[in-house]
Amino acid sequence: MPESSAGPDSVVTVERAGAVLQIGLNRPAKRNALNDTLILALGACLEDLPRDVRAIVIHGVGEHFSAGLDLSELTERDATEGLAHSRMWHRVFDRIQHCRVPVIAALRGAVIGGGLELACAAHIRVAEPSAYFALPEGQRGIFVGGGGSVRLPRLIGVARMADMMLTGRVYSAAEGVALGFTQYLTEAGGALAKAMELADKIAGNAPLTNFAVLQALPMIAESNPQAGLIMESLMATVAQSDKEAKQRIRDFLDRKTAKVRPG
Ligand code: 1HE
């Protein structure tokens, strides 16, 4: 079992399992609705990560990942405060997207509104069959504010996101995989275990490869092709000149590592 380092009343649980940091959104009675305290606590977990943390898993305590923005905090907020609030979410979710180590979201139950935006900032999404995805902002008379309009269209397309917001369409866990939103669908109750298994694998990669995948790949994919190809060559050269890469390649040639087999 992971070693625990947060009190039971904390809005996030923080546990260590070897090189993996497991963060739980911990307001199950409010379906993990994201209030300011929770968002700031999540941001604090990602600040000054210990050097020996090599992957992160974010999950929801209870039956749901997150019911999105805590609507009870919205009623008195004016426009200036609303802008500051959205920018605060952006800072925290950017910290996830640009984290030093890969972040995996383990999804179950409601993955709604701001909860969906949070999941979008992770690098890998794992869902179990109870997970469902919705953007009820249209019904609530509001708009996404946690980076969803930037990140979600890159995963499922503008037209699908517009449909979700305009009609309240809800996608199932199986549809999430088909649309490219989630990379894995597990058996019932299996998302967190699968996310931890993937995090363990990732933690065993060469750190420079993980860095390249998180920091260089998204930039390359969004740049013009010629600039992207130069960036790719530079990143490849740096990665393969690292002594860890040389050792791993020697290990393969000496038949000391596993072969690639069908999944
Ligand atoms: C909440 C929230 C919340 C639950 N803010 N308190 N998100 C939404 O529009 C989704 C709203 N929530 C729901 O549709 C349902 O609560 C659920 C489908 C997620 C769960 O249903 P259920 O039957 O399991 O629970 P419940 O009885 O509805 O909720 C349990 C408690 O959590 C209840 O409080 P209680 O004191 O009466 O027990 C709910 O009021 C509370 N609760 N969801 C506040 N979201 C940066 S912009 C992002 C914009 C958005 O995220 S918009 C989407 C908002």
Side-chain angles (χ1 to χ4, degrees):
M1 280 297 287
E3 193 186 307
S4 180
S5 63
D9 298 332
S10 174
V11 289
V12 293
T13 60
V14 183
E15 300 175 278
R16 273 295 288 273
V20 181
L21 187 71
Q22 187 182 296
I23 303 172
L25 311 175
N26 191 27
R27 298 184 74 209
K30 296 289 179 186
R31 309 310 185 247
N32 297 323
L34 303 169
N35 61 8
D36 287 2
T37 313
L38 199 160
I39 294 290
L40 291 169
L42 182 58
C45 291
L46 299 162
E47 214 171 0
D48 300 327
L49 277 182
R51 288 313 301 174
D52 58 348
V53 168
R54 297 181 73 163
I56 294 175
V57 169
I58 300 179
H59 68 106
V61 175
E63 297 307 307
H64 301 276
F65 179 70
S66 172
L69 173 70
D70 188 319
L71 295 168
S72 68
E73 285 191 348
L74 194 67
T75 46
E76 302 305 322
R77 201 175 277 146
D78 67 19
T80 309
E81 290 163 343
L83 188 56
H85 179 264
S86 171
R87 297 301 284 163
M88 184 268 281
W89 277 46
H90 287 169
R91 279 194 297 281
V92 172
F93 290 5
D94 273 0
R95 216 173 269 174
I96 296 173
Q97 182 181 344
H98 302 295
C99 190
R100 178 177 63 75
V101 300
V103 179
I104 304 176
L107 307 175
R108 69 195 314 195
V111 184
I112 296 181
L116 182 62
E117 295 184 88
L118 167 56
C120 285
H123 304 102
I124 296 179
R125 282 159 290 280
V126 180
E128 56 190 65
S130 67
Y132 61 98
F133 312 111
L135 292 171
E137 281 82 347
Q139 291 100 295
R140 309 276 177 256
I142 55 178
F143 191 64
V144 288
S149 56
V150 170
R151 295 190 180 97
L152 189 57
R154 285 172 161 80
L155 295 169
I156 67 169
V158 175
R160 287 197 187 91
M161 179 169 176
D163 180 25
M164 291 174 83
M165 292 195 71
L166 293 172
T167 68
R169 182 171 186 166
V170 177
Y171 283 117
S172 67
E175 287 171 323
V177 179
L179 297 179
F181 176 69
T182 40
Q183 291 99 322
Y184 296 87
L185 178 61
T186 71
E187 74 285 357
L192 181 56
K194 180 69 180 177
M196 291 301 288
E197 177 198 318
L198 296 171
D200 253 349
K201 265 193 203 163
I202 287 169
N205 291 343
L208 200 48
T209 301
N210 284 352
F211 172 88
V213 172
L214 297 195
Q215 313 297 329
L217 174 62
M219 297 244 287
I220 293 169
E222 298 216 342
S223 51
N224 80 59
Q226 290 312 315
L229 290 174
I230 285 291
M231 238 191 294
E232 180 188 86
S233 296
L234 293 172
M235 193 66 249
T237 306
V238 171
Q240 69 197 228
S241 62
D242 193 54
K243 63 179 184 314
E244 183 155 347
K246 301 212 175 304
Q247 184 59 50
R248 284 169 181 252
I249 290 164
R250 259 194 309 271
D251 286 348
F252 172 76
L253 296 173
D254 293 344
R255 296 180 165 272
K256 289 185 194 156
T257 53
K259 295 184 185 185
V260 180
R261 300 290 192 202

